[in-house]
Amino acid sequence: RAGRGMATSSVGNALVWTLAQTLDPSPATRKPAEEQILRWETAPGFCSQLYEITCNPSIDANLRLGAILCFKNVTQKYWRSRAPGAISEEEKNTLRPKLITLLNEEHQLIAKQVAVLLGKLARLDFPHAWPDLVTHVLNAIRQEAQPTLRLRGLWALHCIIGELSSRRLSGNKRQLQEIAPEIFATLQHLWMQGNVFLSSQFPTPTTPPNHTTIMPQDIRIVADIVTLCLKIFRRIIIHGFPSFVHQPDLLTFFASALERLQHLCTAHELPRSQFSAYIEQSIILYQKLFIKVQSAQPISFVPMLQACMYFFHNQIKSLARYKQQGRQPLERALIQSMLFFKNVLQCQHYKPDTDDSLTPSTPYGTPAIPLDSPTMQAAQTLKAFFTPEVVGDFAQTLILNYLVLTPAEMSEWDSDPEEFMQRMGAESWKDNRRPCAEALFSILMQNFSSSITPSVVALLGQILQQERGADPHLILVKEACYTSLGLGYHDLYDAVDLPSLMSNVLVKEMQNPDPRYKFVRRRIAWVIGCWVANFPNTMRHGLYQIVVALVQDQDLVLALTAIDTLKALVDDVNFTAKGFAEFLSPTMAVTMQLLVGGRVHEADTKLRILTFVHVLLEQVGPDIRPYTTTLLLALGELWKANASQNHDMIKSSVLRTLTQLVGALASDPSEFYHVLLPAVQYSTDPASPDAAYLMEDGLGLWSRVLQYAPSPHQGLLDIYPNITRIMQGSVEHLDQVLPIMDGYLMMGHQVFLAQHGQAMADTLYRIMGDLSPKGT
């Protein structure tokens, strides 16, 4: 570490002054101060001076916070012994015990940064350079008479365990496993004490309503302590205990945690109080604990599996109860409950390779999994829980309560149709209720189709008997039933005669002009896309007619849904260009109008439409020629509209669509050079700002143009220098460049060689170098 020391008080004062300058909003003042701090970072004693500033209560809190943040940043760069300009071992040995004293810090933001700093240092120093770090932190946590110090210690332990659990070497994992029992025992006692105290403070059904939203300080500290214990439990159990099948303390803890969770759920149903926010947060944390542990250690979790399934199943069914009471459910808790079942049903550790009779050996005499193994116990637990009655009721609960459009979704349909479509199509099942319910329903169908199918068919029959003029809620329930029909199409094929249902019922509903039926119309179009492979060829003309008409609807959600369905119909193996010929003209007209007519604005929506156009070009081939001019105009407008915007994905999609168009026409593309060549020139120019993203697609278009170019057009010859510039940079795109060079030789002959022959020879020489007769 070069530079002069920083031990004098004058230098310390200079550091305080400089830190104050870094907080100045004026860049002219702030930037020189930040540069000075960077120059001081490698000076001996710099971290010691930062520590002195941090622990000095007479200095402004903002400066002390800046000092600890600077300390944290410096240690990340220079605490490692082998780092250039590393902090000396003498200074580190002096600082370590001093940093422990910062656990007494009263200022909350500074204390949290101290905790983060200790976590970062634990990753580097524990246990070899700082073996007693965790012991000091646990001693602080055990100070019952000092609740604030105990809370600060838990913050530090949370950060330390977070850093240690992220280390992946086997030796580092063993180190965490060695300290895990002591940490767990300490926190378990603390957690139980906190729960007893908080339970005595919670409201009861007879407690008068209290509209205060802030808990008293002493109760808030206990609540924070219990919350931090839960967060640390999750990490220490997953990463500190390789298995806890034979750990009675852990099993007892999980039983107590589940009982506590049930108590919190009961308290959540009471009128809101000062504890409501804490109760909701705690429910989420407890459920996350069970979900994460089950996912990380499924075999160890088997003893808790049955009790947790009953709890989470009751949580899922509670939505109907909340609706009846007119109350808002805890959305995140419902999503977590469905995630738990999704993880359990997909867990391979719970699926033994035996038949349904659970025999102890295979037919060939090879021993199977023992009947008393955790895997077999889990399989039997699942079999006992998921009876046909439970599965059927489970499916109906999802359909009637979770797959029904919510008021917020219907409002978004009208106010922001593009965002609605994006949300409905996104695979966000970890964060949103509807996608999670759809994913869980699909998994239930895969595992218990024989039990769910009768329930779905019966529910569908009831809905179809309703009159068309039914109330809005029944319309939404019908839409949800049709959703289940699409999600379970693989397993409902033999039970539902969808072609007959389509001809006799769904076609009429698609023609229903009632504005309330737009939800059903959209869902029917979506179901057609799901069942496309199961419709006979004789029905295709009618399906095209229905879907193409929907594409032309003024409701953007209906139009975009129809685009997706039409893509599925066109991309099907039974599609023929002849059968679609009469629908090609209206399809191209409305698609181009959607693309550049100003109705859609989001990049994701335009990509959705371009994807459909790409598939259509691939399937109809030369039949697209009458609409080529319209398509090129639309693509050109789309390219220009995004020229000044950072929408590289749209430009890339335009290039791929142009490539597909040239291939579909399979003829001389020279009449379209005014669009094709500028796109190739821009996308393959290494100096272009978008070259890194567009180069591959641009070279693909270039190669396709050369494939059908009849003669050496001067515009084609003028863009060849891009090849030279590409190859001067690297050989990354060599596999695409060489066919383009070959295409120029085949097409241009002497005309090409006269202009670019020397450049091509130089490029090839740089690639090949001096080769001996042996090719080396």
Side-chain angles (χ1 to χ4, degrees):
R1 289 168 65 83
R4 298 179 58 189
M6 299 193 67
T8 65
S9 60
S10 61
V11 176
N13 292 335
L15 179 55
V16 172
W17 182 84
T18 306
L19 286 171
Q21 298 295 97
T22 62
L23 302 178
D24 195 292
S26 171
T29 303
R30 187 180 68 254
K31 289 188 178 297
E34 292 173 345
E35 293 171 359
Q36 180 61 56
I37 293 290
L38 291 175
R39 287 192 292 270
W40 280 340
E41 282 183 347
T42 55
F46 181 63
C47 286
S48 298
Q49 287 291 332
L50 291 173
Y51 165 78
E52 296 296 336
I53 294 171
T54 302
C55 66
N56 188 345
S58 65
I59 298 177
D60 180 75
N62 289 327
L63 296 181
R64 295 169 60 215
L65 179 60
I68 193 64
L69 288 170
C70 186
F71 196 152
K72 182 184 68 175
N73 294 336
V74 171
T75 55
Q76 285 185 281
K77 291 191 280 186
Y78 302 113
W79 194 268
R80 296 177 187 271
S81 301
R82 288 174 289 183
I87 301 170
S88 67
E89 290 300 321
E90 293 78 11
E91 185 174 0
K92 288 193 286 187
N93 290 333
T94 302
L95 285 170
R96 289 187 185 107
K98 291 182 176 180
L99 291 175
I100 294 297
T101 64
L102 291 178
L103 290 175
N104 290 303
E105 174 59 49
E106 291 292 333
H107 193 281
Q108 183 167 303
L109 293 179
I110 297 174
K112 287 189 174 181
Q113 290 304 317
V114 169
V116 174
L117 172 61
L118 290 175
K120 299 292 183 185
L121 296 183
R123 184 181 182 88
L124 301 173
D125 285 358
F126 183 82
H128 303 296
W130 202 350
D132 56 352
L133 169 60
V134 173
T135 300
H136 285 305
V137 173
L138 288 178
N139 287 337
I141 293 172
R142 295 187 181 109
Q143 301 301 315
E144 294 188 16
Q146 303 181 58
T148 301
L149 176 60
R150 172 175 279 184
L151 182 60
R152 303 296 191 254
L154 283 169
W155 283 350
L157 185 61
H158 180 240
C159 294
I160 289 170
I161 298 302
E163 291 289 341
L164 296 182
S165 64
S166 66
R167 301 193 296 186
R168 290 293 176 260
L169 295 178
S170 58
N172 292 333
K173 291 181 178 180
R174 284 195 301 271
Q175 292 163 3
L176 179 58
Q177 291 164 10
E178 289 171 0
I179 63 174
E182 182 183 4
I183 294 174
F184 178 80
T186 301
L187 297 192
Q188 185 180 23
H189 174 70
L190 195 59
W191 171 77
M192 293 175 66
Q193 275 187 332
N195 280 333
V196 171
F197 174 76
L198 291 173
S199 296
S200 67
Q201 304 296 318
F202 278 2
T204 64
T206 59
T207 303
N210 184 350
H211 300 291
T212 304
T213 58
I214 301 176
M215 287 190 291
Q217 181 64 18
D218 58 333
I219 300 178
R220 178 76 262 175
I221 289 177
V222 177
D224 289 343
I225 287 173
V226 173
T227 297
L228 281 168
C229 286
L230 276 177
K231 293 180 178 180
I232 298 171
F233 279 146
R234 187 173 68 245
R235 285 202 175 106
I236 202 70
I237 291 173
I238 292 174
H239 300 284
F241 294 90
S243 173
F244 49 86
V245 174
H246 303 295
Q247 296 274 355
D249 290 343
L250 278 171
L251 298 177
T252 301
F253 163 73
F254 278 113
S256 300
L258 185 58
E259 182 180 348
R260 179 63 179 168
L261 178 54
Q262 292 168 335
H263 177 64
L264 288 167
C265 291
T266 301
H268 182 253
E269 296 187 5
L270 298 175
R272 293 195 66 82
S273 68
Q274 59 187 340
F275 295 96
S276 295
Y278 167 74
I279 290 172
E280 292 175 356
Q281 179 192 24
S282 297
I283 290 173
I284 301 302
L285 287 175
Y286 277 102
Q287 292 193 168
K288 187 175 181 180
L289 169 69
F290 286 109
I291 292 168
K292 292 292 185 180
V293 172
Q294 186 280 325
S295 180
Q297 300 199 31
I299 294 298
S300 297
F301 195 81
V302 169
M304 288 83 71
L305 186 59
Q306 183 180 35
C308 285
M309 283 197 298
Y310 278 109
F311 169 78
F312 284 111
H313 182 248
N314 185 61
Q315 282 285 84
I316 290 172
K317 291 184 68 67
S318 69
L319 179 59
R321 185 169 66 252
Y322 277 101
K323 286 182 176 181
Q324 291 173 358
Q325 298 172 352
R327 299 176 58 224
Q328 281 294 110
L330 187 53
E331 186 83 1
R332 187 63 201 163
L334 296 176
I335 295 173
Q336 286 181 327
S337 301
M338 291 186 286
L339 283 177
F340 176 81
F341 276 104
K342 181 178 181 295
N343 293 342
V344 167
L345 291 173
Q346 288 184 312
C347 182
Q348 296 301 314
H349 296 279
Y350 299 160
K351 298 178 180 180
D353 294 328
T354 59
D355 59 18
D356 291 339
S357 63
L358 301 178
T359 55
S361 63
T362 64
Y364 301 101
T366 305
I369 300 175
L371 288 177
D372 60 348
S373 68
T375 296
M376 293 302 295
Q377 292 174 11
Q380 291 169 339
T381 300
L382 291 175
K383 188 174 183 179
F385 179 83
F386 286 108
T387 63
E389 295 76 20
V390 168
V391 171
D393 180 68
F394 205 151
Q396 289 208 5
T397 298
L398 291 177
I399 295 170
L400 299 177
N401 293 292
Y402 290 85
L403 299 184
V404 175
L405 285 170
T406 65
E409 290 169 338
M410 291 185 285
S411 176
E412 188 177 48
W413 177 313
D414 296 324
S415 62
D416 193 350
E418 293 183 69
E419 179 62 25
F420 174 85
M421 287 297 297
Q422 180 65 18
R423 192 184 303 277
M424 290 295 105
E427 294 185 2
S428 54
W429 45 266
K430 288 186 177 181
D431 303 305
N432 295 303
R433 190 171 80 183
R434 169 180 285 274
C436 189
E438 291 177 351
L440 178 56
F441 182 86
S442 298
I443 293 168
L444 285 170
M445 285 295 300
Q446 294 169 15
N447 287 272
F448 309 105
S449 59
S450 60
S451 300
I452 294 181
T453 297
S455 179
V456 173
V457 171
L459 186 60
L460 184 63
Q462 295 173 16
I463 293 300
L464 292 177
Q465 292 175 4
Q466 301 292 335
E467 295 293 330
R468 278 203 220 171
D471 65 69
H473 176 69
L474 290 178
I475 292 176
L476 296 179
V477 171
K478 177 178 286 190
E479 189 269 348
C481 289
Y482 291 168
T483 300
S484 68
L485 198 60
L487 293 173
Y489 69 95
H490 279 303
D491 303 287
L492 295 172
Y493 176 76
D494 293 327
V496 177
D497 185 2
L498 191 66
S500 175
L501 183 64
M502 177 64 66
S503 301
N504 299 324
V505 179
L506 302 186
V507 170
K508 297 177 182 178
E509 292 187 342
M510 287 288 285
Q511 298 168 350
N512 190 334
D514 189 338
R516 298 175 303 174
Y517 254 72
K518 65 180 182 180
F519 307 117
V520 174
R521 294 170 64 203
R522 173 185 175 270
R523 189 54 68 184
I524 293 173
W526 177 80
V527 169
I528 292 173
C530 295
W531 286 69
V532 61
N534 304 118
F535 289 107
N537 290 335
T538 54
M539 291 188 65
R540 280 191 164 267
H541 184 276
L543 294 178
Y544 293 149
Q545 195 171 26
I546 293 170
V547 177
V548 172
L550 199 63
V551 174
Q552 302 173 61
D553 198 286
Q554 291 303 305
D555 189 309
L556 189 56
V557 171
L558 295 179
L560 293 176
T561 303
I563 287 283
D564 292 342
T565 301
L566 203 54
K567 174 179 171 290
L569 287 166
V570 171
D571 204 25
D572 184 59
V573 66
N574 294 317
F575 175 84
T576 62
K578 182 179 179 181
F580 192 72
E582 67 177 279
F583 302 103
L584 187 56
S585 177
T587 298
M588 288 300 299
V590 70
T591 302
M592 294 304 101
Q593 196 277 332
L594 279 173
L595 200 56
V596 295
R599 290 185 65 191
V600 300
H601 307 283
E602 298 294 331
D604 289 331
T605 307
K606 294 176 182 177
L607 288 172
R608 179 195 299 263
I609 298 171
L610 284 172
T611 301
F612 164 67
V613 173
H614 190 278
V615 171
L616 185 63
L617 290 173
E618 183 178 11
Q619 294 291 73
V620 302
D623 291 351
I624 200 66
R625 178 170 291 280
Y627 316 102
T628 303
T629 301
T630 303
L631 178 57
L632 286 173
L633 285 173
L635 294 176
E637 287 184 34
L638 195 58
W639 181 276
K640 291 176 184 177
N642 291 276
S644 59
Q645 303 178 30
N646 190 24
H647 286 164
D648 292 333
M649 293 183 67
I650 291 181
K651 295 176 185 176
S652 177
S653 186
V654 169
L655 290 171
R656 291 195 298 271
T657 304
L658 289 171
T659 303
Q660 190 64 47
L661 175 62
V662 175
L665 295 174
S667 60
D668 179 8
S670 56
E671 62 180 303
F672 312 126
Y673 280 171
H674 64 286
V675 174
L676 300 175
L677 298 187
V680 172
Q681 166 68 31
Y682 177 82
S683 59
T684 60
D685 183 358
S688 167
D690 300 323
Y693 197 89
L694 302 180
M695 180 68 72
E696 186 174 342
D697 292 316
L699 290 173
L701 175 59
W702 197 346
S703 179
R704 187 63 59 87
V705 170
L706 286 174
Q707 180 180 350
Y708 295 105
S711 60
H713 186 277
Q714 188 58 43
L716 275 174
L717 297 175
D718 289 343
I719 63 176
Y720 180 81
N722 277 7
I723 293 292
T724 303
R725 288 191 285 269
I726 291 170
M727 297 311 298
Q728 286 173 346
S730 72
V731 294
E732 178 184 356
H733 302 286
L734 183 62
D735 58 335
Q736 288 182 286
V737 167
L738 288 179
I740 291 174
M741 296 171 72
D742 187 48
Y744 270 103
L745 287 173
M746 298 290 290
M747 173 198 67
H749 302 294
Q750 296 301 321
V751 176
F752 167 73
L753 290 174
Q755 294 188 34
H756 302 293
Q758 186 59 48
M760 175 179 280
D762 293 342
T763 299
L764 292 173
Y765 181 77
R766 278 195 300 272
I767 297 172
M768 305 295 290
D770 293 321
L771 290 179
S772 67
K774 294 182 179 180
T776 61

